[in-house]
Amino acid sequence: MSRRKKPEQGELFELPPKKDGALAYLPEDAHDLGSLAKAIHACEGCSIHENATQPVFGDGAADSRMVLVGEQPGDKEDLAGKPFVGPAGRLLDKTLEAAGIDRGTVYITNVVKHFKWTPRGKRRLHSKPSPYEIRACQPWLEAELSAIKPKVLVLMGSTAAQAVLGSGFRVTKSRGEPHISPFSEHTFATLHPAALLRIQLDYAREAAEKEFIEDFKKIAAYL
Ligand code: URA
């Protein structure tokens, strides 16, 4: 299997050709979730895997009617090997429950499957994936969505929304409204739960959490 050369400085924003990146690591014959989850452990489609503990594949059943997509695993997810198990995941759980959506019936994943971070003392700080890395990883997300064929797809935050709906998409302008994508009957974008956690003022954060719940209540009506 050919290995992609690590991009040099300045090459970072040059996007990999569509046939490149993760595509070389997808199983040739079987594209069920089990085969994909196994195959991703060999993925070196971009350089993020070099500093990550493990890939974090999606979590949930193949017959889920709703798929939620975030940006990339965080520190806790990298260690656990599961998406949304840290602070953002706890807020997401609370939100789904308040919106009447059973988390156990939802498939949750990320656009980028390895944790990209920079050291700050003993901490590993989230580092935003580049357009190059997002494009390189996208075949995994597309394969997951093709295997599940969800009725409702929810893109949380601009990385997920722009990966599926195009780089000009603005979440703040079109959150909670139905959009068209090749992956589901109904596609929505909303904020990323980590963005709510970063709001310092309690009253502003609580108001943002209420709006986030309202987005999911509206979306749940399409299930
Ligand atoms: N943020 C994400 O986008 N995904 C996770 O899995 C955790 C935090």
Side-chain angles (χ1 to χ4, degrees), residues 80-217:
K82 280 193 173 246
F84 284 99
V85 293
R90 284 195 290 281
L91 175 56
L92 183 61
D93 287 353
K94 223 173 69 175
T95 303
L96 293 177
E97 196 184 337
I101 300 168
D102 177 0
R103 190 333 174 168
T105 66
V106 169
Y107 183 89
I108 304 189
T109 191
N110 287 296
V111 176
V112 170
K113 306 297 199 243
H114 283 100
F115 177 38
K116 182 177 178 186
W117 57 278
T118 46
R120 171 83 55 85
K122 287 188 178 163
R123 294 175 59 209
R124 303 189 301 167
L125 294 189
H126 164 277
S127 177
K128 196 172 163 53
S130 70
Y132 180 100
E133 292 154 344
I134 293 167
R135 164 88 77 86
C137 208
Q138 215 156 335
W140 293 114
L141 176 64
E142 293 185 3
E144 284 172 294
L145 294 173
S146 303
I148 299 169
K149 297 186 181 59
K151 181 153 190 218
V152 171
L153 173 63
V154 186
L155 308 162
M156 300 185 297
S158 62
T159 299
Q162 292 181 358
V164 173
L165 296 171
S167 57
F169 188 84
R170 296 286 168 268
V171 172
T172 43
K173 278 198 182 155
S174 314
R175 65 185 284 189
E177 294 168 9
H179 296 279
I180 299 202
S181 84
F183 303 110
S184 58
E185 248 175 75
H186 310 287
T187 298
F188 296 88
T190 183
L191 300 188
H192 191 291
L196 305 189
L197 294 176
R198 285 194 293 270
I199 302 174
Q200 297 288 324
L201 292 171
D202 287 350
Y203 77 88
R205 193 178 53 257
E206 282 158 18
E209 287 179 10
K210 278 192 187 139
E211 277 185 76
F212 195 44
I213 293 169
E214 287 310 311
D215 281 352
F216 275 98
K217 279 188 180 163

Side-chain angles (χ1 to χ4, degrees), residues 7-30:
E8 306 292 338
Q9 188 89 33
E11 233 190 324
L12 266 184
F13 290 97
E14 195 182 299
L15 300 179
K18 280 215 157 139
K19 62 176 178 40
D20 219 330
L23 213 50
Y25 300 88
L26 255 67
E28 268 169 29
D29 40 358

